[in-house]
Amino acid sequence: MSDNSARMRTIFRTKTSKALNHMEDPRDALDDSYEQQVKLLHQVRQAVAEVATAKKRIELQGEEMGARYGRLGAQALEAMEQGREDLARAALERRAGLEGQVGKLQAQHSSLQKQMSQLQEREHRLAEQIAAFRVEKETMKATYSASEAQVRANEAVAGIGANMNDIGASLDRARDRVAQMQARAQATDELLSSGALQDLTAAPDADIERQLAELASRSDIERQLKAMRAAGTDRASTTGAPSDSSDGWLGIGQAPTP
């Protein structure tokens, strides 16, 4: 991959990320709209309950007035039967005044009944709209999530995704560290072999002992060569060969008996 290509992908990824960050997530907007509609439906239902409560109060008050209206009529009849026309007139006058009050209650009851019917109709329609919106909302959210996943997958395949770039950078760093460690291991091996580095795990004065052992080995070889030259090839082979006994190997490397 050329430097220009890598630079273009980096620029494209940066601009894309900034654009996506400035964009409003439609899933959040859809959820907010749904919550607002649910709140509105709750308010409508609360209004229906309040109207129903007021209507019930009027009904109870109307029933009470109706019972009083009936009692006044019965009292008027009883007063006439007992020859008390004045009491009958008073009862009828009160009942007439009660009729006006009952008429007002009837008008209020009719108005509340109409209002409650309208609110119930709106509640029903709003509930249906919210149910339909919820289905559409979930469908749109699922579609957006699938498209978002597809975009990220395409970016990963194209190598413009932030995660893939991070993975590539990690691999490059790992390769560099492995190469550095291998070179360091080889360098330290060479330094230890040359004696430039001291083996801290070795015994004290081990380097002197090692050099003396090497000198002794070379001296022994020179001694054997000198003996071979002096005694001839046959004599050298006889002298240096181990015996045929089963424990002849014990004499290998031992100094010859004088």
Side-chain angles (χ1 to χ4, degrees):
M1 182 186 299
S2 64
D3 294 339
N4 290 333
S5 179
R7 189 179 302 107
M8 289 299 296
R9 291 189 176 187
T10 302
I11 295 173
F12 177 79
R13 184 182 70 253
T14 303
K15 291 185 176 180
T16 303
S17 300
K18 290 182 179 179
L20 291 176
N21 291 334
H22 288 297
M23 289 177 59
E24 181 183 15
D25 193 334
R27 293 170 295 189
D28 295 337
L30 289 171
D31 288 336
D32 291 341
S33 298
Y34 178 75
E35 291 178 1
Q36 293 297 326
Q37 293 184 45
V38 170
K39 289 181 181 179
L40 179 59
L41 178 61
H42 178 72
Q43 294 175 358
V44 172
R45 288 176 175 173
Q46 186 175 3
V48 171
E50 291 176 355
V51 172
T53 300
K55 178 172 168 288
K56 187 63 178 177
R57 290 198 188 104
I58 290 177
E59 289 176 353
L60 293 175
Q61 189 175 359
E63 290 175 359
E64 183 180 353
M65 288 184 177
R68 184 185 176 192
Y69 184 86
R71 287 196 303 271
L72 288 173
Q75 289 174 354
L77 289 174
E78 184 179 358
M80 287 297 295
E81 290 175 355
Q82 295 180 5
R84 295 292 305 272
E85 183 176 347
D86 56 333
L87 291 178
R89 181 178 288 106
L92 292 176
E93 289 176 353
R94 291 180 182 179
R95 192 174 74 166
L98 194 59
E99 287 180 358
Q101 296 179 9
V102 171
K104 292 180 180 180
L105 286 179
Q106 290 175 348
Q108 292 178 1
H109 184 270
S110 177
S111 176
L112 289 176
Q113 179 63 41
K114 182 178 180 181
Q115 186 178 3
M116 189 174 68
S117 298
Q118 292 176 349
L119 287 174
Q120 288 175 338
E121 177 64 22
R122 292 174 183 175
E123 176 192 4
H124 179 71
R125 293 176 59 184
L126 184 58
E128 290 182 346
Q129 291 177 359
I130 292 176
F133 179 80
R134 181 177 182 275
V135 173
E136 186 176 3
K137 172 180 74 74
E138 295 300 327
T139 302
M140 293 177 66
K141 287 176 61 178
T143 303
Y144 183 86
S145 298
S147 300
E148 184 181 35
Q150 183 177 1
V151 169
R152 296 187 184 278
N154 291 339
E155 289 180 349
V157 172
I160 58 177
N163 292 334
M164 292 302 295
N165 285 338
D166 292 342
I167 292 173
S170 299
L171 286 175
D172 291 338
R173 289 194 300 270
R175 293 191 186 101
D176 292 339
R177 290 177 182 176
V178 169
Q180 292 175 4
M181 190 57 66
Q182 289 177 338
R184 184 176 179 181
Q186 294 175 359
T188 52
D189 284 342
E190 294 176 358
L191 290 173
L192 282 174
S193 300
S194 64
L197 286 181
Q198 182 180 0
D199 186 1
L200 298 179
T201 61
D205 304 326
D207 57 336
I208 297 177
E209 293 180 0
R210 177 176 55 81
Q211 295 181 32
L212 290 175
E214 291 177 356
L215 291 174
S217 177
R218 287 196 293 269
S219 297
D220 186 61
I221 292 175
E222 292 297 331
R223 181 187 57 78
Q224 294 183 32
L225 290 173
K226 183 177 180 180
M228 290 174 64
R229 296 190 194 99
T233 305
D234 293 338
R235 175 61 179 167
S237 61
T238 303
T239 303
S243 64
D244 294 335
S245 61
S246 60
D247 59 351
W249 62 274
L250 294 174
I252 297 176
Q254 303 296 325
T257 302

